[in-house]
Amino acid sequence: MSYAFRTSHLKPEGAYQVLARVQELEASGREIIHLEIGQPDFETFDNIRLAGMRAIAEGQTRYTPPIGMKSLREAIAEDAGERHGLQFHPDQVVVSPGAKPNLFFPVLALIEPGDEVIYPNPGFPTYEAMIRVAGGQPIPVPLKEENNFSFDLEAFHHLINKRTKLVIINSPSNPTGGVMPLSDLEEIARTSQEFNFWVMSDEIYTRLAYDQINVPSIASLPGMMDRTIIVDGFSKTYAMTGWRLGYGIMPESLAQVVQLLLTHSIGCTAQFVQVAGVEALTGPQDQVDGMVSEYQKRRDIIVNDLNAVPGISCQRPQGAFYVFPNIKSFGISSSELASLLLEKANVAVLAGSDFGKYGEGYLRLTYSNSIENIQKAIGQIREAVRGLC
Ligand SMILES: Cc1ncc(COP(=O)(O)O)c(C=O)c1O
């Protein structure tokens, strides 16, 4: 049986494959520390859970407009507008079940076969998948450790041409935690006006930023809102991965096309989930702040502990909940090392190469786990790699 060409490049995410192996080991009685899955270990905050439960009890369990409930789109426009120093109209906001459909559908709406799309590598695996399904040409731009994992601007300039239709950026980044400096965003913005391409700015980790930095958004730069799609959501900021709630902010005409794609695929996002989303945005924010300071503590511990392991060197990223240590001195591939750590150290991590070819030589570890588990895991890693380099 053969299937349509558009699906032929799709492959599973590394994280799910590792999880399957971890579950096998756990079923056989092994105790594994999970530093692989990118989801908060915090529970969804109580006020949000209660709002969702109340909405179900009240019968808010029906279809909503495909683009999302007005009350939620208003709350998103206000919250995002305040954070970006911009004014958004609710009609620019498209609500979706998780952020992922707001990555996928704008790409389907914009990309013609043969159009080139530049995306970060190492980067979130969905980017390449969605570009290929849309028939576009994926063009990876390396993120380099020596640039704190921001775009390699020299490589970027070489890759840009008149076929470039879209550039995807993700700051803070999955998998590196790196934050793009304003000067890099200004350069991409300038180039987008010169070459007339769109920018998709995946800002799902923007609120998870440390050292009191404010992560800049390319949408805030002059003239950029007309050609930028901001993608954001509730999964990481409000510990709501399983609720499936995200959004895109884009020019109204594109929002209308994306709404049509939603209408004929997903239909709409669950009504009670959207009600919970209004509470997340308009309720108290101190729990987000508390979570962020806990992540920062863990980041400092994991970075210090990793740097104390002979053969590993690890930058201190300023966002998300990932570290991306350099493991090149061991002389084996990142997937071999990730397997070795699972088998010998009982620690699940991801190979950098799961995020693209420029991720080779690195591992991705998430610190969305307790300080106790993080310290224990790095201790076990230290033992497992003893004598390897
Ligand atoms: C960079 C990035 N963008 C988007 C998403 C998707 O988020 P959601 O769970 O809201 O679909 C993720 C999830 O891991 C991510 O890491």
Side-chain angles (χ1 to χ4, degrees):
M1 186 84 80
S2 68
Y3 295 102
F5 176 75
R6 74 176 68 86
T7 64
S8 60
H9 298 283
L10 292 176
K11 35 183 200 278
E13 264 186 56
Y16 291 109
Q17 285 175 312
V18 172
L19 190 61
R21 175 72 187 133
V22 170
Q23 282 166 345
E24 259 173 45
L25 292 174
E26 286 175 332
S28 72
R30 289 259 295 275
E31 215 176 277
I32 309 290
I33 304 179
H34 289 260
L35 301 186
E36 83 287 22
I37 281 283
Q39 69 175 334
D41 57 315
F42 295 87
E43 295 296 343
T44 306
F45 310 137
D46 282 350
N47 61 317
I48 302 173
R49 287 198 280 180
L50 282 172
M53 288 192 279
R54 214 177 297 123
I56 294 177
E58 285 166 357
Q60 300 201 59
T61 53
R62 313 245 172 217
Y63 291 136
T64 75
I67 200 167
M69 288 163 64
K70 191 149 187 267
S71 54
L72 179 57
R73 288 186 297 119
E74 281 170 353
I76 291 169
E78 193 167 328
D79 168 73
E82 206 175 294
R83 288 190 290 109
H84 290 84
L86 289 169
Q87 277 225 309
F88 297 120
H89 192 279
D91 288 347
Q92 291 176 261
V93 178
V94 180
V95 174
S96 54
K100 272 185 175 173
N102 259 303
L103 293 171
F104 226 102
F105 289 135
V107 169
L108 281 184
L110 290 173
I111 299 305
E112 301 275 13
D115 285 344
E116 295 188 1
V117 182
I118 292 182
Y119 69 103
N121 184 318
F124 189 45
T126 294
Y127 302 147
E128 187 183 337
M130 69 199 191
I131 297 164
R132 287 193 186 276
V133 169
Q137 194 60 34
I139 310 286
V141 67
L143 304 189
K144 288 202 174 148
E145 187 178 1
E146 52 271 33
N147 300 330
N148 296 321
F149 295 112
S150 187
F151 265 27
D152 176 346
L153 283 180
E154 208 182 304
F156 173 68
H157 283 303
H158 278 112
L159 297 171
I160 288 287
N161 64 66
K162 59 181 188 328
R163 289 183 303 279
T164 307
K165 187 73 182 281
L166 174 70
V167 171
I168 301 173
I169 57 178
N170 172 217
S171 172
S173 139
N174 176 9
T176 71
V179 172
M180 296 177 83
L182 183 61
S183 54
D184 286 8
L185 298 179
E186 283 169 344
E187 187 51 25
I188 295 168
R190 189 194 64 70
T191 319
S192 78
Q193 281 156 27
E194 186 184 336
F195 285 87
N196 195 26
F197 57 76
W198 286 81
V199 175
M200 175 175 270
S201 178
D202 181 347
E203 304 186 357
I204 192 108
Y205 294 105
T206 306
R207 295 279 299 277
L208 308 187
Y210 313 117
D211 311 324
Q212 274 95 42
I213 58 160
N214 252 336
V215 178
S217 171
I218 198 162
S220 313
L221 299 177
M224 285 309 291
M225 202 46 243
D226 293 342
R227 53 175 74 244
T228 302
I229 303 133
I230 296 172
V231 183
D232 204 335
F234 295 71
S235 292
K236 319 288 174 174
T237 308
Y238 297 103
M240 291 177 74
T241 46
W243 292 73
R244 310 308 299 136
L245 188 59
Y247 60 87
I249 305 179
M250 60 200 82
E252 247 179 84
S253 57
L254 177 59
Q256 285 308 318
V257 181
V258 172
Q259 149 147 272
L260 290 172
L261 288 164
L262 284 169
T263 305
H264 297 295
S265 55
I266 279 148
C268 67
T269 305
Q271 188 180 15
F272 51 88
V273 170
Q274 295 188 57
V275 174
V278 173
E279 172 61 27
L281 292 177
T282 57
Q285 300 296 302
D286 50 331
Q287 292 173 97
V288 179
D289 299 337
M291 191 176 72
V292 170
S293 40
E294 174 63 22
Y295 281 141
Q296 180 168 323
K297 239 189 275 168
R298 296 175 185 180
R299 176 206 59 173
D300 290 338
I301 289 170
I302 199 167
V303 168
N304 292 346
D305 286 11
L306 279 168
N307 279 320
V309 177
I312 296 182
S313 70
C314 184
Q315 286 196 349
R316 191 175 301 270
Q318 289 195 295
F321 39 48
Y322 307 112
V323 284
F324 206 60
N326 183 322
I327 48 93
K328 290 178 187 170
S329 72
F330 294 122
I332 58 174
S333 72
S334 57
S335 64
E336 283 168 322
L337 186 61
S339 304
L340 182 145
L341 294 181
L342 183 55
E343 304 301 333
K344 270 181 71 179
N346 292 321
V347 179
V349 302
L350 296 184
S353 55
D354 286 344
F355 299 89
K357 64 177 176 184
Y358 298 114
E360 187 48 88
Y362 299 87
L363 293 178
R364 190 196 81 171
L365 287 71
T366 172
Y367 45 92
S368 56
N369 205 325
S370 66
I371 290 178
E372 191 193 345
N373 279 341
I374 290 169
Q375 288 175 323
K376 193 167 158 203
I378 308 304
Q380 290 171 194
I381 290 176
R382 187 190 179 83
E383 286 310 307
V385 299
R386 197 184 287 280
L388 211 62
C389 65

